[in-house]
Amino acid sequence: MEEQRVKYLLQQRLSGKETAEEQEELYHLLRNDDHMELFMAALTDLMWQAPANEMPDTTTHQALLKSITAADVTLPFVESVRPVHHLRWWWAAAVMGGILLAAVGYWWIKPATTVAPIPAIAQRYKNDVAPGGNKATLTLANGAVITLDEAQNDTLGKQGNTTIIKLQNGQVQYKAGGTTDEVSYNTLTTPRGGQYQLTLPDGTKVWLNAASSLHFPTAFRGNNREVILTGEGYFDVAPLPGKPFRVKVNETEIAVLGTQFNIMAYPNEKVMAVTLLEGAVNVSHRGVVKKLQPGQQARMAGNNSIAVTQVDTQAAVAWKNGFFIFERADIATVMRQLERWYDIDVVYEGTPREMYFGGGMQRSLPLSRVLNILERNQVLFKIDGRKITVLR
């Protein structure tokens, strides 16, 4: 009876016919972990009842993901032993759009096998690991290093006529003064488990993800605005006509005038990806040049080619907004993101199972909560200090 009630409330939510009382009832049920299995069963049934031709358009697709990432509740992933069609992913997310960060499924490539009895969590989780936060170091031109998470919110110093100010909430601003011929270079570096936001002298805003760095001048002179990135960063470039902004990453250069884009270029990832949210950029890679339009992503995979596809841009920048979002990611991809954000080391007991995950969760959760969510999908973990073992 309860399962039918949950299914009815979800159907009401999806159709937009729910009353205020029904919405509050659904909220109440979902706040109780005892109802989670009922919810998962109902959501899975509804997902598979969705007509096969219900594919939202790109605008709806983007708006839906924005509403999901604005939520403040995390649910586990929906399980299915059948391949989950892309449209069903979004249909399931639409059920909770605007309320919850929807849990949307994972896919088995191989059939599940019988597993040994599961050791209790208390035996496997010897400790917990806190999520990352605003942590970074700033290396000045003279080699001096400032630990930003320990510094007071105030003026940190000057580089020529540029003043360095630490603001609230993990931000550093370079405030340009009068004209000068003196230009030096600084480097902002985030460790594993860290992130930081920087405003460059021209007003360009940069968000750095964990295990990343940005090498930049303390003043932009002439027509040159060039920085060097490692890892991952999101750029909101200040438009200055006639002064293109360039980001160099290994053998790739991204050139813009004023735009918003994300670059993911970790050395242990198989591909480098440039995702454009607004404006236009030229991506140059080993002699090949592609121009991106909003909603497109360029991917480089160690050769001379650039593959351009239409993507969900909000998924690419979910980290900046405080979320993990996975779209058919294998277990190794998921764990690499957790390694960087929680500053952990992941090892595998045997060969990782061939499975794929979709869905999302807040980056503010402690590691144990994240692993608990993943464990609802028949994968087990062991925490021992900062060593995480993915069990056979």
Side-chain angles (χ1 to χ4, degrees):
M1 182 63 70
E2 271 193 314
E3 182 175 344
Q4 291 304 313
R5 183 60 181 171
V6 170
K7 187 182 294 186
Y8 167 78
L9 292 172
L10 291 175
Q11 287 174 321
Q12 289 294 93
R13 170 62 188 173
L14 183 64
S15 66
K17 298 177 181 178
E18 65 180 350
T19 64
E21 291 76 15
E22 288 170 341
Q23 185 182 90
E24 180 54 36
E25 183 182 356
L26 179 59
Y27 285 175
H28 177 74
L29 288 170
L30 294 178
R31 290 188 191 106
N32 188 338
D33 283 346
D34 293 340
H35 295 130
M36 194 57 68
E37 289 187 11
L38 286 174
F39 171 75
M40 289 294 99
L43 180 55
T44 302
D45 286 346
L46 288 172
M47 187 170 63
W48 284 103
Q49 290 169 14
N53 60 354
E54 288 188 3
M55 173 64 80
D57 60 32
T58 301
T59 302
T60 303
H61 201 167
Q62 296 275 4
L64 177 59
L65 190 51
K66 285 184 180 179
S67 70
I68 291 172
T69 54
D72 192 32
V73 179
T74 301
L75 292 174
F77 294 70
V78 178
E79 176 183 350
S80 173
V81 295
R82 293 168 286 186
V84 177
H85 194 281
H86 184 71
L87 65 93
R88 299 188 193 277
W89 193 101
W90 282 105
W91 195 93
V95 174
M96 306 312 297
I99 301 179
L100 304 170
L101 177 60
V104 293
Y106 78 91
W107 300 261
W108 286 108
I109 298 301
K110 297 180 180 178
T113 57
T114 303
V115 297
I118 301 173
I121 282 183
Q123 295 175 269
R124 293 184 285 110
Y125 291 11
K126 294 184 179 179
N127 57 276
D128 205 350
V129 179
N134 292 322
K135 305 174 188 175
T137 58
L138 182 63
T139 304
L140 304 181
N142 63 3
V145 177
I146 301 173
T147 303
L148 294 174
D149 38 306
E150 297 176 359
Q152 297 294 319
N153 294 331
D154 202 348
T155 298
L156 300 177
K158 295 194 71 172
Q159 298 278 270
N161 285 337
T162 300
T163 304
I164 308 171
I165 306 169
K166 181 184 176 184
L167 305 175
Q168 300 286 340
N169 303 322
Q171 300 177 49
V172 164
Q173 180 181 26
Y174 276 64
K175 193 170 183 179
T179 59
T180 179
D181 292 331
E182 181 182 350
V183 177
S184 54
Y185 285 82
N186 290 181
T187 303
L188 181 68
T189 304
T190 56
R192 294 204 311 179
Q195 63 182 10
Y196 226 80
Q197 184 179 339
L198 169 70
T199 301
L200 294 171
D202 65 338
T204 292
K205 291 178 170 36
V206 184
W207 287 255
L208 279 188
N209 203 351
S212 303
S213 71
L214 187 74
H215 185 67
F216 57 94
T218 57
F220 293 110
R221 295 291 171 249
N223 295 329
N224 182 41
R225 290 194 293 166
E226 183 176 291
V227 299
I228 300 173
L229 173 74
T230 66
E232 183 166 21
Y234 175 88
F235 294 80
D236 185 352
V237 176
L240 292 177
K243 295 185 178 182
F245 189 96
R246 292 183 173 85
V247 183
K248 290 192 173 182
V249 189
N250 300 326
E251 298 179 75
T252 302
E253 179 180 287
I254 297 89
V256 305
L257 286 175
T259 188
Q260 296 180 23
F261 60 98
N262 191 82
I263 302 173
M264 191 281 291
Y266 288 110
N268 63 344
E269 295 292 349
K270 295 178 181 177
V271 299
M272 171 184 166
V274 178
T275 308
L276 180 64
L277 283 78
E278 293 183 10
V281 301
N282 286 331
V283 179
S284 304
H285 178 71
R286 297 181 179 178
V288 178
V289 180
K290 296 284 186 179
K291 184 175 182 178
L292 298 188
Q293 299 299 325
Q296 291 184 330
Q297 181 181 84
R299 296 170 67 87
M300 289 69 72
N303 50 34
N304 295 334
S305 66
I306 303 176
V308 177
T309 58
Q310 203 75 22
V311 297
D312 299 313
T313 58
Q314 292 303 311
V317 300
W319 66 269
K320 169 184 164 288
N321 299 321
F323 288 90
F324 296 107
I325 288 186
F326 303 112
E327 292 186 307
R328 210 169 188 274
D330 60 26
I331 185 65
T333 298
V334 171
M335 297 311 292
R336 283 196 300 271
Q337 289 203 36
L338 299 186
E339 274 188 316
R340 290 191 288 265
W341 184 236
Y342 290 92
D343 188 17
I344 56 175
D345 295 310
V346 176
V347 297
Y348 296 86
E349 186 181 79
T351 302
R353 299 180 70 180
E354 198 168 4
M355 61 177 73
Y356 294 86
F357 296 90
M361 63 193 78
Q362 295 102 321
R363 280 165 46 118
S364 59
L365 295 173
L367 181 63
S368 62
R369 175 66 176 137
V370 173
L371 298 185
N372 274 332
I373 292 170
L374 295 176
E375 284 199 352
R376 298 185 186 189
N377 300 286
Q378 300 183 20
V379 57
L380 298 177
F381 304 93
K382 182 170 69 174
I383 304 176
D384 190 357
R386 290 191 175 273
K387 178 182 176 182
I388 310 303
T389 303
V390 182
L391 300 176
R392 186 184 301 275

